Amino acid sequence: MPVPTSVTTRDSHAKGVGLGLALLSALAFGGSGVAAKPLIEAGLDPLHVVWLRVAGAALVMLPLAVRHRRLLRRRPVLLAGFGLFAVAGVQACYFAAISRIPVGVALLVEYLAPALVLGWVRFVQRRPVTRAAAVGVVLAVGGLACVVEVWSGLGFDALGLLLALGAACCQVGYFVLSDQGSDGEEAPDPLGVIAYGLLIGAAVLTVVARPWSMDWSVLTGSAEMDGTPVAAFLLLGWIVLVATVVAYITGVVSVRRLSPQVAGVVACLEAVIATVLAWILLGEHLSAPQIVGGAVVLTGAFIAQSSAPAKGSGTPVAGGGPERELSTPGRSA
């Protein structure tokens, strides 16, 4: 029976809206590092910027947490994992990294997460992976070698690179956790998980960052973006409202309108957007080999995360599959 034209039109419209939301999410996520780095250079500790971002977003999304309060009883381990790894761990490591190395480099290192998930599956869980996924890992690692310019003895701050790798490892921790028991009708609502993850992350970061010691006067002044002064409170507003709240919500909604694989492809644009914005607004230029290496990293990450078969298919596993449940939950940029 032919599909009615009205149904096809509605589906096309829904996919178009979903694609637009996915692009908006990538743009919003991609702008956080560019807005955060001037605040760090103006005198705020990276942990304090992370706390402001997470605590502010948690406050905005508090109504969603109240609405999904049953998750506290149904998925306490998942919520704790999301808060500790995908929120507190990823954000803290990423913001600390960009205080020492370029935004684009930090984010590209973080995009090793899908490859690291495959390493966990293959060598820790001892489950087979697809050949395509293995190729993706090789491409991601090879591209990263170009990004950090290994031939020049690592041209970037070693601690900054380790912090960026720490952000990737935090994503892996959440990916592995979220893969446990998240299928079927009992799968938690991703917006509820995000809301509680932000609340838990804010609580953890409050203990670690000690915001009462923050130099709050920085927020009443201005910060420089490549020599141009910008009001600090505007940068913070962007980080909280756009780069966190809008970014997460549009990302989740886009996955519901698109397939996770398509949304994952668009999500890879996040690194491109962050690198371009850092180039234009912060003057952080990358060399030609680094640009090529970045493209290879993203290609490898995409292959690695899109090669995962459905659970229960009996075919080799390619990844932890977090996008089955949430919209790229550990994204920090």
Side-chain angles (χ1 to χ4, degrees):
M1 179 181 295
V3 179
T5 304
S6 59
V7 175
T8 304
T9 303
R10 284 197 300 271
D11 289 344
S12 299
H13 177 71
K15 290 180 179 179
V17 172
L19 183 59
L21 290 172
L23 289 170
L24 177 59
S25 179
L27 176 62
F29 273 120
S32 82
V34 174
K37 191 157 189 173
L39 292 176
I40 295 171
E41 292 177 342
L44 285 181
D45 186 274
L47 272 178
H48 290 157
V49 179
V50 175
W51 180 83
L52 287 168
R53 177 187 189 181
V54 175
L59 186 62
V60 173
M61 297 191 72
L62 186 58
L64 278 174
V66 174
R67 178 181 177 183
H68 297 285
R69 55 188 176 276
R70 286 184 298 176
L71 284 176
L72 283 172
R73 184 179 68 257
R74 292 173 49 209
R75 288 289 193 272
V77 176
L78 177 60
L79 298 182
F82 188 79
L84 290 172
F85 293 106
V87 175
V90 170
Q91 314 282 355
C93 288
Y94 174 72
F95 276 20
I98 66 173
S99 71
R100 309 181 72 94
I101 61 177
V103 171
V105 173
L107 188 54
L108 289 169
V109 173
E110 190 179 325
Y111 261 79
L112 280 180
L116 294 176
V117 169
L118 289 174
W120 173 274
V121 171
R122 180 64 183 89
F123 297 108
V124 178
Q125 296 183 337
R126 298 188 179 279
R127 298 162 65 190
V129 299
T130 64
R131 183 175 300 177
V135 170
V137 171
V138 172
L139 285 174
V141 174
L144 182 64
C146 294
V147 171
V148 302
E149 297 182 324
V150 291
W151 55 84
S152 62
L154 296 179
F156 297 108
D157 183 279
L159 179 56
L161 293 175
L162 285 175
L163 287 166
L165 184 60
C169 291
C170 285
Q171 287 204 51
V172 172
Y174 174 73
F175 287 177
V176 171
L177 177 66
S178 69
D179 197 41
Q180 307 301 315
S182 60
D183 292 335
E185 296 180 357
E186 294 300 315
D189 188 290
L191 289 175
V193 175
I194 291 169
Y196 275 106
L198 289 169
L199 285 170
I200 293 171
V204 172
L205 288 169
T206 298
V207 176
V208 176
R210 297 183 297 172
W212 49 87
S213 65
M214 185 190 316
D215 184 3
W216 292 89
S217 63
V218 173
L219 299 177
T220 63
S222 62
E224 290 194 354
M225 299 184 73
D226 198 21
T228 303
V230 180
F233 75 89
L234 290 179
L235 294 174
L236 179 60
W238 174 276
I239 293 171
V240 171
L241 298 177
V242 178
T244 308
V245 176
V246 171
Y248 273 120
I249 291 177
T250 54
V252 168
V253 176
S254 70
V255 168
R256 292 180 174 182
R257 291 176 176 266
L258 303 170
S259 67
Q261 289 75 19
V262 173
V265 174
V266 180
C268 286
L269 292 176
E270 176 190 332
V272 178
I273 291 170
T275 302
V276 171
L277 289 177
W279 193 315
I280 295 173
L281 299 177
L282 302 180
E284 294 184 347
H285 295 200
L286 298 183
S287 65
Q290 289 172 330
I291 295 173
V292 173
V296 174
V297 169
L298 295 179
T299 300
F302 165 68
I303 293 174
Q305 79 173 12
S306 64
S307 299
K311 276 189 174 183
S313 63
T315 56
V317 177
E323 65 270 36
R324 282 194 297 269
E325 174 188 343
L326 297 172
S327 173
T328 48
R331 287 158 64 168
S332 60

